[in-house]
Amino acid sequence: MSDLLRLATAGSVDDGKSTLVGRLLYDTKSVLADTLDAVHRASADRGLATPDLSLLVDGLRSEREQGITIDVAYRYFATPKRSFVLADTPGHVQYTRNTVTGASTAQLAVLLVDARKGVIEQTRRHAAVLALLGVPRLVLAVNKIDLVDYDEVTFSRIAKEFTAHATALGYTEDAVVEIPVSALAGDNVVEKSANTPWYSGPTLLEHLETVPVEPDPHDAPFRFPVQYVIRPRTAEHLDYRGYAGLVAAGTVKPGDEIVVLPSGRRSTVTKIDTADGELAEAAAGQSVTLLLADDIDISRGDLISVAGNEPKVTDELDATLCWLAEKPLRAGARVLVKHGTRTVQAMVTELRDRFDEQRLSSVDSPATLELNEIGRVALRLAEEVPLDDYSFSRRTGSFLVIDASDGSTLAAGLVGAPLPLLENGVESCTEGGENAAPDTHALVSPGP
Amino acid sequence: MTTATLDTLGRLESEAIHIFREVAGEFDRPVILFSGGKDSTLLLHLAIKAFYPAPVPFPLLHVDTGHNFDEVIEFRDRVVAQHGLRLEVAKVQDWIDDGRLQERPDGTRNPLQTVPLLDTITAHKFDAVFGGGRRDEERARAKERIFSLRTAFGQWDPKRQRPELWNLYNGRHRPGEHVRVFPLSNWTELDVWNYIEREGVELPDIYYAHEREVFLRDGMWLAEGPWGTAREGETLVRKTVRYRTVGDGSCTGAVESDAADIHAVIAEVAASRLTERGATRADDRLSEAAMEDRKREGYF
Ligand SMILES: Nc1nc2c(ncn2[C@@H]2O[C@H](COP(=O)(O)OP(=O)(O)O)[C@@H](O)[C@H]2O)c(=O)[nH]1
Ligand SMILES: [Mg+2]
């Protein structure tokens, strides 16, 4: 079992995300005495009878003043079973970009709802964003269950409604787990609650400790964006020329035939080097340096791929964007696209459709894509670039859209249409025609 | 030859190396903040591994408060010489001498580091500045991105941070702006010690238990030095102590400890009920938002 789980919270403002994270940290004894003292003092200063556990994560002055989360907080905690990297994200619609930040690398998301309100607009929006970004597993935490008298019927109704929505987004039933909790009182967070005798499932922590984490598939074709060329030019290493990078997908061994993209030049890996010595094999996630048999022109921005199973090299990009900027996107916009280690100029040639995450349908040819909207676009790139679908790999199928004038990040980009819905919406009013790639579903809820 | 499988430390190392290489590939004038303390020593260790067998393609910068522990400065200079690195030192004293800064009434020089740091960044046109900050250190740090954009005035605006998606870092900035880069963002204090043990990284001796004359102030064991000594009502006593962090001597406290080697330190950190900064840094105790305020002004 993996020893690390990366997770993110999601859900509307005031649903209790920060309190839940505080509760998890508190009940797993991950909060050290001086930090706890500070929270006790701050809570007393605010006239509260019990410590406000959200103060453990809402670390900015304006967050504490307003009692809300504005930006992602990263927290680290461990139990004897696992280590956790937790991103607590804000709930306000205007801060959705920070939710996207927290979710882009998450292996699981805890989506909260307020038991009194049930599934609301923001729940549906966040579920769609999580599905789009390929977060493989969800927990629906039906929070504030204390405020509905620990009522089973309320819980079941919300769980059922959410499951239907998640299924429509492509999640299989075993990828979604619903848990009734009270972040404030601690019910079913770490300790099983006596107030919910009708609930026989795991507590939140039990689930987090045992949920399967999908490893990087070892049989995926090898992908290696070149970050930097290492040329020591010292007497000892006069002819050394190594290509430094992080394996984005698959594995590599000395002797493997590779192709450099976009140039298409071929060679053979002679050595996988690290400061700790040579490796017999390197796998996804590892930072290494590759040495090749032939002296060919390779520089930062190139992609080294296994020969025979290469990504398509193209200057036309069909992608899904999660628009994160205040100023709306219009067709004709000139932007920069950062994909892997390469940044190229690009033009948005067409806004194909906008995803309506409330009705799970899409709207054809919108005039704009506004802040926090998701849509499919066509981009023309100034150079040819090797592209994998996002459904193949979160690492090689993702890109940033950047404003060339001020450098800000405008959008999260995903190659292809990772949400099957965007291709085949339930009430879709798109042109239809193209079918969702058969493996897109596999990304959202991968098998064991 | 071995086939490494990535455990937690392997993943953290791999991520840090990736970050160093991204900066080397995209920036013109990066610099590593290096004080000789444990986080910056770890930072340098990772930078060396990232570019092996080539030399580290960045110089180092130390903002020297003048309130240092001799052992640390000696260590700093030894490491720099050993690896053939270039070290730039910005001395707070120089800024005080020519009037650009004034000594504070409480004698602490930690907050005075910001101006020399920003002046040096501007003078050398550094565009990427590596720091050893970790998100587990403090609540405001927990909010910071790995690539953190600073204005031409060096300021951090926590409300306007860029989204940081996947492992794609956006380091674009306008002339005069720079980016602070934190390769250790996702490390905890325990990860740092476990890694130091695994890699056999050498640290200044003061991180391990030793005897020292100290006095108690505001609940912290301070040593005497160029920053002053015990005041009325405070008495110097000889104790067995070690340091968990190393900063300005006037506000960095020692902890009572018998942990004389790395194994004992790891056991102690794992069992500690106090955070690293809470145990040892007076500067963070000033207010609920002390760190955030200093960071907004351009601090590390
Ligand atoms: N009664 C009750 N109140 C809760 C519960 N969880 C959170 N709250 C309260 O709901 C409010 C919002 O919580 P917070 O954690 O800041 O929500 P966030 O915006 O989702 O991070 C605070 O006043 C909490 O004390 C719960 O389980 N039961
Ligand atoms: Mg919150």
Side-chain angles (χ1 to χ4, degrees):
Chain A
M1 196 178 78
S2 168
D3 66 340
L4 180 89
L5 180 72
R6 289 178 170 273
L7 68 152
T9 62
S12 186
V13 62
D14 276 350
D15 282 352
K17 293 179 295 300
S18 299
T19 309
L20 184 69
V21 172
R23 170 60 67 185
L24 264 178
L25 296 172
Y26 185 80
D27 283 2
T28 54
K29 315 234 171 349
S30 311
V31 186
L32 298 183
D34 52 323
T35 310
L36 205 56
D37 283 350
V39 168
H40 280 290
R41 248 182 288 123
S43 302
D45 289 349
R46 288 168 173 71
L48 304 173
T50 50
D52 179 353
L53 296 177
S54 72
L55 293 175
L56 287 170
V57 277
D58 289 336
L60 300 176
R61 184 193 290 282
S62 44
E63 292 180 324
R64 289 194 300 273
E65 280 166 8
Q66 300 174 47
I68 61 163
T69 308
I70 290 171
D71 207 336
V72 192
Y74 291 91
R75 300 300 308 236
Y76 308 83
F77 69 102
T79 68
K81 295 211 176 110
R82 233 178 211 170
S83 304
F84 301 92
V85 177
L86 192 156
D88 182 35
T89 70
H92 277 108
V93 185
Q94 71 183 110
Y95 300 127
T96 299
R97 61 165 166 255
N98 299 331
T99 302
V100 176
T101 291
S104 67
T105 54
Q107 295 159 317
L108 176 145
V110 180
L111 182 53
L112 277 85
V113 294
D114 183 329
R116 295 169 302 176
K117 300 180 195 151
V119 174
I120 57 172
E121 198 178 312
Q122 189 70 336
T123 319
R124 284 188 286 266
R125 176 176 292 116
H126 279 172
V129 167
L130 297 170
L132 179 75
L133 290 170
V135 178
R137 290 174 185 275
L138 299 185
V139 172
L140 182 78
V142 180
N143 189 33
K144 309 198 185 182
I145 197 78
D146 54 309
L147 297 181
V148 296
D149 297 327
Y150 300 97
D151 179 37
E152 179 180 8
V153 178
T154 307
F155 170 74
S156 306
R157 182 179 43 76
I158 295 170
K160 198 161 154 242
E161 186 184 347
F162 182 75
T163 310
H165 185 75
T167 310
L169 285 167
Y171 283 99
T172 56
E173 266 186 44
D174 64 331
V176 184
V177 169
E178 299 86 9
I179 306 176
V181 300
S182 170
L184 197 65
D187 300 275
N188 296 326
V189 178
V190 170
E191 301 292 335
K192 212 158 185 58
S193 170
N195 297 318
T196 52
W198 43 266
Y199 174 74
S200 57
T203 66
L204 177 61
L205 184 68
E206 280 165 5
H207 181 64
L208 298 180
E209 285 183 329
T210 53
V211 65
V213 175
E214 283 69 25
D216 286 310
H218 265 250
D219 51 357
F222 174 65
R223 301 284 190 265
F224 187 82
V226 175
Q227 289 188 275
Y228 192 75
V229 181
I230 296 185
R231 296 209 58 188
R233 293 192 186 91
T234 55
E236 203 185 335
H237 301 280
L238 206 51
D239 297 320
Y240 189 103
R241 189 182 178 92
Y243 305 101
L246 183 133
V247 181
T251 59
V252 63
K253 291 194 207 55
D256 283 358
E257 284 219 34
I258 56 93
V259 56
V260 181
L261 299 171
S263 73
R265 291 195 183 87
R266 290 174 170 252
S267 187
T268 307
V269 175
T270 53
K271 188 167 150 182
I272 304 169
D273 208 6
T274 73
D276 298 315
E278 289 177 44
L279 301 182
E281 184 182 48
Q286 272 178 288
S287 284
V288 295
T289 302
L290 300 184
L291 283 82
L292 304 180
D294 307 278
D295 201 358
I296 50 182
D297 175 19
I298 304 177
S299 54
R300 176 175 171 84
D302 288 337
L303 180 86
I304 298 179
S305 162
V306 63
N309 196 347
E310 299 139 31
K312 60 176 184 284
V313 177
T314 172
D315 57 6
E316 299 205 335
L317 172 52
D318 181 5
T320 304
L321 299 186
C322 199
W323 194 251
L324 304 172
E326 305 280 346
K327 60 177 173 208
L329 173 69
R330 287 193 170 76
R334 288 175 189 280
V335 294
L336 296 172
V337 163
K338 180 169 187 180
H339 172 259
T341 52
R342 178 179 289 251
T343 303
V344 298
Q345 295 191 26
M347 186 199 269
V348 180
T349 48
E350 191 190 343
L351 304 191
R352 297 230 165 107
D353 57 38
R354 178 170 55 75
F355 179 50
D356 179 341
E357 76 282 350
Q358 299 304 319
R359 295 189 304 132
L360 298 186
S361 61
S362 48
V363 179
D364 248 359
S365 310
T368 60
L369 217 51
E370 309 278 334
L371 177 66
N372 298 321
E373 288 183 344
I374 297 166
R376 258 195 339 143
V377 304
L379 288 147
R380 202 168 68 235
L381 308 177
E383 303 160 38
E384 295 205 312
V385 172
L387 295 170
D388 283 308
D389 265 12
Y390 190 74
S391 50
F392 161 78
S393 160
R394 282 168 100 176
R395 284 211 189 92
T396 57
S398 56
F399 62 93
L400 305 180
V401 178
I402 295 171
D403 185 322
S405 60
D406 69 1
S408 61
T409 301
L410 300 172
L414 302 87
V415 180
L419 265 188
L421 268 171
L422 276 175
E423 293 275 354
N424 287 336
V426 261
E427 316 162 33
S428 176
C429 43
T430 52
E431 327 84 343
E434 297 159 68
N435 284 315
D439 55 351
T440 48
H441 196 78
L443 172 87
V444 173
S445 39
Chain B
M1 291 205 282
T2 51
T3 304
T5 44
L6 287 189
D7 55 5
T8 300
L9 293 181
R11 249 189 308 261
L12 290 168
E13 176 188 79
S14 205
E15 178 185 65
I17 287 176
H18 176 251
I19 293 164
F20 274 111
R21 290 166 169 179
E22 279 303 282
V23 171
E26 293 210 333
F27 290 81
D28 294 327
R29 301 181 65 84
V31 67
I32 302 177
L33 293 173
F34 183 71
S35 64
K38 78 173 189 313
D39 293 326
S40 64
T41 300
L42 177 56
L43 208 54
L44 180 59
H45 179 83
L46 289 160
I48 290 168
K49 292 188 86 166
F51 300 101
Y52 169 88
V56 177
F58 320 122
L60 309 179
L61 168 63
H62 182 208
V63 182
D64 178 356
T65 59
H67 288 172
N68 299 298
F69 297 91
D70 294 342
E71 300 91 323
V72 178
I73 293 299
E74 201 179 284
F75 174 81
R76 178 196 78 182
D77 293 339
R78 187 154 50 80
V79 169
V80 168
Q82 183 187 334
H83 296 289
L85 300 158
R86 278 171 299 144
L87 173 73
E88 182 71 30
V89 180
K91 292 193 159 131
V92 170
Q93 189 64 52
D94 293 346
W95 270 255
I96 292 174
D97 288 347
D98 67 16
R100 280 178 285 173
L101 279 176
Q102 279 186 350
E103 197 88 73
R104 290 161 50 103
D106 64 4
T108 175
R109 287 185 174 179
N110 238 21
L112 300 188
Q113 294 177 84
T114 302
V115 171
L117 171 66
L118 296 179
D119 286 352
T120 309
I121 289 171
T122 308
H124 289 260
K125 299 195 168 59
F126 291 131
D127 53 2
V129 181
F130 289 102
R134 307 191 319 265
R135 287 170 177 157
D136 89 321
E137 281 178 73
E138 206 276 339
R139 285 184 300 188
R141 282 207 196 273
K143 295 276 168 180
E144 190 156 18
R145 301 286 191 260
I146 292 174
F147 273 45
S148 182
L149 186 70
R150 299 303 167 99
T151 65
F153 297 95
Q155 289 168 319
W156 179 55
D157 183 352
K159 279 199 190 177
R160 298 191 55 84
Q161 299 199 88
R162 287 176 180 166
E164 199 157 84
L165 303 151
W166 301 287
N167 62 353
L168 293 172
Y169 302 106
N170 177 0
R172 295 188 86 84
H173 56 279
R174 287 180 282 209
E177 294 178 342
H178 71 275
V179 177
R180 299 281 173 93
V181 182
F182 301 101
L184 306 182
S185 286
N186 291 322
W187 298 56
T188 64
E189 185 187 13
L190 198 54
D191 293 328
V192 168
W193 284 108
N194 280 327
Y195 185 80
I196 285 169
E197 177 190 30
R198 189 178 93 172
E199 299 281 303
V201 180
E202 194 197 342
L203 292 181
D205 296 337
I206 68 169
Y207 283 103
Y208 302 106
H210 56 282
E211 285 205 356
R212 188 180 286 270
E213 302 261 293
V214 287
F215 57 92
L216 196 60
R217 179 180 299 164
D218 299 336
M220 249 179 301
W221 291 106
L222 298 180
E224 59 176 347
W227 50 86
T229 180
R231 297 179 194 139
E232 277 283 314
E234 298 169 340
T235 34
L236 274 173
V237 282
R238 201 159 180 80
K239 286 204 164 283
T240 304
V241 296
R242 67 175 203 90
Y243 286 86
R244 276 175 81 176
T245 66
V246 169
D248 181 317
S250 69
C251 63
T252 302
V255 293
E256 288 186 79
S257 168
D258 294 321
D261 62 22
I262 182 81
H263 308 287
V265 168
I266 289 173
E268 186 188 281
V269 170
S272 172
R273 297 306 302 152
L274 292 180
T275 63
E276 181 180 292
R277 300 194 80 89
T280 61
R281 296 296 275 263
D283 44 343
D284 287 339
R285 294 184 173 182
L286 294 175
S287 88
E288 260 199 277
M291 174 65 88
E292 179 182 343
D293 293 344
R294 274 180 291 142
K295 285 185 83 68
R296 279 174 177 278
E297 288 161 13
Y299 189 73
F300 303 124

